[in-house]
């Protein structure tokens, strides 16, 4: 796979991938925005496709960042007036800008989308185009004949995150355009997934960030795809799937099933006017799933009351997120709140969050009604003005982790090992170096106390670290990431500064003697420090095993001994 550059300008890569089928990959070599699924900072592609039958159809035009470059590329290859249809896998405010630009050139365009997508189009374009706006609404598995053998089959695949999601299958080329399914946020010159196994880490991260909290809908989509004889999948982000397609489908099912097997679940209800509350919901959900608790993500704008009621009945806690519209809750959130109040017992843990533009009353209204009804809020309500920042996203993820861990403690979930058994005691006698792992990414600085650390290789000098899946630092320990490992000295009390439980977003380095670096934090009172780069990452039960090589380091106390952590049991640290 090509190495990602951080200096290349954004561009549009155009290449024919099948008969009369052009892929237009709008490429951003840098991170696009502060959303969880972009956190690996490997860039991304917004994949669009042009099918040139007797009639011509454009699938998934990109967002406003690429509007000019995208239209220039189209101009070089055809007359935009000859395009008949624009098929929308989903509609978002960012994509609307490119749609407007296309309409300015070709007012005869017919848009094909699901009913929620049609509603979004009319809301954004109705004032300007009114009755002239041509929309063909897909209500089931319908078809469209473009000529030259290109018969398109439409497959609605609604999810809480994208209620309007629509996939498309071309019977001539046997390409399945999967929209958000099977994507990855990677930018390179590689169009297809040659060397597909090297991309699995990125595919898994994408799944965990975007799909793990809606596995019921994911499995429903997989069942629909199973009957389609596709030769490759064309997602809206990342390389197209040809070589590892079948393996990734199997993994999607495995990952979905693993989420369903968790014995604790959280109902996460939300609505979002401009996408900002959705960002908060996804970050909270990401933290909850990392901690080994299932999330049932419910978009109140698309969910039926019975679906909301069932999710609450199955859960052990709930979160409600809402924007503020004219100083009030959206009607859908009011309905959901009523169902919650009549269904959830008072022992449920609860949380409230939301974004706003001016006043922000919605979060206060929900919090007040829950408190008046006797519910206890597990955390201070999260209220964010306009678009969440990177630090807010991190706080939400850590809040989700804490919320899930509190549920697990309440349920007294135990490990599979029998507490007090000789096996557990024996495993607990394995020791490792006691260290503090620190890292820095933009405005995010975080750390964790690590005791499962060991040298792994001589040449190059390398080490292994085992990191629990519910640790905040886990999201920043992927291939290519860098961190600082501070090795602690025996007999010193520095470890106590990092043994306490930190609140979401709390400064880990307050009152600690040290200095920040580009990728972490050096503790001046440590025995030594190592500046490391992650080379490999392997999933091992409830932990990730990280292998990293050492790029720099220093022994700071030449006569000191390494601190180690002695345990009596293998059921906890």
């Amino acid at each position: 796979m090509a190495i990602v550059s951080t200096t290349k300008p954004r561009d549009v890569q155009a290449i024919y991938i099948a008969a009369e089928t052009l892929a237009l990959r709008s490429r951003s070599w840098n991170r696009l925005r502060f959303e969880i699924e972009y956190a690996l900072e490997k860039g991304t592609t917004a994949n669009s496709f042009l099918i040139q039958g007797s009639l011509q159809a454009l699938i998934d035009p990109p967002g406003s960042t690429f509007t000019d470059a995208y239209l220039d590329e189209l101009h070089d290859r055809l007359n935009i007036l000859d395009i008949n249809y624009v098929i929308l896998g989903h509609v978002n405010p960012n994509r609307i800008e490119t749609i407007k630009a296309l309409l300015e050139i070709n007012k005869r365009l017919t848009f094909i989308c699901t009913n929620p997508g049609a509603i979004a189009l009319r809301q954004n374009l109705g004032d300007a185009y009114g009755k002239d706006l041509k929309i063909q609404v897909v209500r089931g598995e319908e078809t469209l004949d473009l000529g030259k053998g290109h018969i398109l089959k439409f497959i609605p695949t609604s999810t809480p995150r994208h209620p309007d999601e629509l996939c498309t299958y071309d019977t001539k080329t046997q390409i399945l355009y999967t929209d958000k399914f099977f994507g990855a946020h990677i930018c390179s010159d590689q169009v297809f997934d040659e060397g597909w196994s090297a991309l699995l880490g990125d595919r898994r991260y994408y799944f965990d960030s975007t799909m793990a909290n809606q596995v019921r809908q994911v499995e429903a989509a997989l069942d629909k795809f199973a009957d389609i004889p596709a030769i490759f999948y064309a997602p809206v982000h990342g390389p197209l799937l040809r070589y590892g397609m079948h393996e990734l489908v199997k993994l999607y099912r495995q990952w979905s099933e693993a989420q369903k097997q968790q014995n604790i679940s959280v109902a996460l209800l939300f609505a979002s006017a401009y996408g900002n509350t959705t960002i908060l919901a996804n970050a909270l959900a990401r933290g909850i799933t990392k901690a080994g608790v299932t999330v049932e993500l419910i978009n109140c704008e698309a969910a039926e009351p019975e679906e909301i009621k069932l999710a609450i009945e199955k859960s052990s806690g709930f979160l409600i997120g809402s924007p503020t519209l004219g100083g009030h809750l959206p009607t859908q959130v009011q309905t959901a709140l009523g169902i919650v109040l009549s269904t959830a017992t008072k022992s449920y843990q609860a949380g409230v969050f939301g974004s706003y533009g001016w006043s922000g009353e919605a979060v206060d209204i929900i919090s007040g009604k829950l408190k008046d009804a006797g519910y206890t809020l597990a955390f201070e309500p999260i209220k964010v003005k306009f678009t969440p920042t990177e630090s807010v996203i991190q706080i939400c993820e850590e809040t989700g982790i804490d919320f899930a861990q509190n549920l697990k403690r309440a349920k007294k979930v135990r490990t599979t090992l029998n507490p007090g058994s000789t096996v557990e005691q024996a495993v607990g006698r394995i020791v490792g170096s006691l260290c503090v792992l620190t890292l820095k990414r933009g405005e995010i600085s975080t750390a964790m106390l690590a005791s499962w650390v060991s040298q792994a290789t001589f040449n190059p000098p390398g080490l292994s670290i085992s990191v629990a899946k519910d640790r905040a630092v886990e999201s920043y320990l992927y291939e290519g990431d860098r961190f600082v490992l501070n090795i602690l000295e025996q007999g010193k009390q520095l470890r106590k500064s990092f043994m306490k439980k930190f609140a979401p977003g709390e400064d880990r380095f307050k009152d600690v003697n040290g200095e920040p670096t580009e990728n972490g934090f050096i503790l001046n009172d440590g025995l030594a420090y190592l500046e490391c780069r992650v080379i490999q990452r392997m999933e091992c039960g409830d932990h990730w095993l990280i292998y990293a090589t050492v790029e720099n380091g220093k022994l700071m106390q030449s006569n000191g001994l390494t601190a180690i952590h002695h345990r009596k049991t293998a059921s906890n640290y």
Side-chain angles (χ1 to χ4, degrees), residues 519-533:
N519 299 303
F521 195 90
I522 295 174
L523 303 177
N524 292 335
D525 296 328
L527 177 66
Y529 73 86
L530 302 171
E531 295 179 297
C532 306
R533 179 174 181 267

Side-chain angles (χ1 to χ4, degrees), residues 165-200:
E165 190 150 20
L166 179 69
C167 298
T168 302
Y169 176 67
D170 186 344
T171 57
K172 177 174 181 176
T173 60
Q174 294 184 288
I175 300 173
L176 178 60
Y177 300 94
T178 59
D179 193 58
K180 290 292 186 177
F181 294 98
F182 308 113
H185 287 298
I186 293 177
C187 187
S188 73
D189 294 323
Q190 184 176 334
V191 177
F192 287 94
D193 61 335
E194 298 93 341
W196 59 269
S197 59
L199 303 173
L200 283 181

Side-chain angles (χ1 to χ4, degrees), residues 406-419:
N406 289 338
L407 286 178
K408 291 171 74 173
R409 280 192 288 269
K411 286 283 188 177
K412 296 182 180 179
V413 175
R414 306 302 296 268
T415 63
T416 55
L417 286 174
N418 179 24

Side-chain angles (χ1 to χ4, degrees), residues 323-399:
T324 299
L325 301 179
H328 302 285
L329 305 180
T331 302
Q332 300 92 333
V333 178
Q334 292 182 34
T335 301
L337 180 59
I339 295 171
V340 169
L341 293 173
S342 64
T343 305
T345 65
K346 301 301 184 290
S347 62
Y348 276 28
Q349 289 198 45
V352 184
F353 64 97
S355 66
Y356 64 99
W358 303 108
S359 51
E361 292 92 344
V363 170
D364 298 330
I365 292 170
I366 298 171
S367 301
K369 288 185 177 296
L370 291 176
K371 289 177 181 178
D372 291 344
Y375 295 96
T376 300
L377 299 186
F379 54 85
E380 191 69 22
I382 297 172
K383 190 159 66 171
V384 179
K385 191 170 184 178
F386 299 121
T387 304
T389 64
E390 185 174 15
S391 60
V392 168
I393 297 299
Q394 181 68 12
I395 288 171
C396 287
E397 182 172 332
E398 292 177 12
T399 299

Side-chain angles (χ1 to χ4, degrees), residues 17 46 98 120-121 150 160 174 276 323 338 348 384 386 409 497 545 553:
I17 56 174
T98 304
L121 279 179
H150 295 279
Q174 294 184 288
N276 295 326
Y348 276 28
V384 179
F386 299 121
R409 280 192 288 269
S497 299
L545 184 63

Side-chain angles (χ1 to χ4, degrees), residues 228-413:
I228 298 173
I231 59 171
F232 68 82
Y233 289 168
V236 76
H237 297 300
L240 312 187
L241 277 79
R242 170 179 281 162
Y243 304 100
M245 182 179 74
H246 298 295
E247 287 77 7
L248 189 58
V249 170
K250 291 178 184 177
L251 287 171
Y252 258 53
R253 289 198 179 275
Q254 290 176 17
W255 297 336
S256 296
E257 186 61 31
Q259 285 297 320
K260 290 166 53 183
Q261 293 305 313
Q262 307 294 347
N263 58 1
I264 303 177
S265 68
V266 171
L268 201 162
L269 317 175
F270 74 99
S272 188
Y274 301 102
N276 295 326
T277 303
T278 299
I279 294 174
L280 301 178
N282 291 330
L284 287 161
R286 164 77 172 164
I288 293 168
T289 55
K290 280 177 63 173
V293 170
T294 298
V295 175
E296 180 75 13
L297 197 65
I298 304 284
N299 188 325
C300 299
E301 298 172 87
E304 296 294 331
E306 187 60 32
E307 181 184 358
I308 297 173
K309 185 174 185 293
L310 182 60
I312 293 295
E313 289 175 341
K314 293 191 304 181
S315 70
S316 300
F318 62 88
L319 303 178
I320 303 179
S322 176
T324 299
L325 301 179
H328 302 285
L329 305 180
T331 302
Q332 300 92 333
V333 178
Q334 292 182 34
T335 301
L337 180 59
I339 295 171
V340 169
L341 293 173
S342 64
T343 305
T345 65
K346 301 301 184 290
S347 62
Y348 276 28
Q349 289 198 45
V352 184
F353 64 97
S355 66
Y356 64 99
W358 303 108
S359 51
E361 292 92 344
V363 170
D364 298 330
I365 292 170
I366 298 171
S367 301
K369 288 185 177 296
L370 291 176
K371 289 177 181 178
D372 291 344
Y375 295 96
T376 300
L377 299 186
F379 54 85
E380 191 69 22
I382 297 172
K383 190 159 66 171
V384 179
K385 191 170 184 178
F386 299 121
T387 304
T389 64
E390 185 174 15
S391 60
V392 168
I393 297 299
Q394 181 68 12
I395 288 171
C396 287
E397 182 172 332
E398 292 177 12
T399 299
I401 291 172
D402 285 354
F403 189 83
Q405 289 174 336
N406 289 338
L407 286 178
K408 291 171 74 173
R409 280 192 288 269
K411 286 283 188 177
K412 296 182 180 179
V413 175

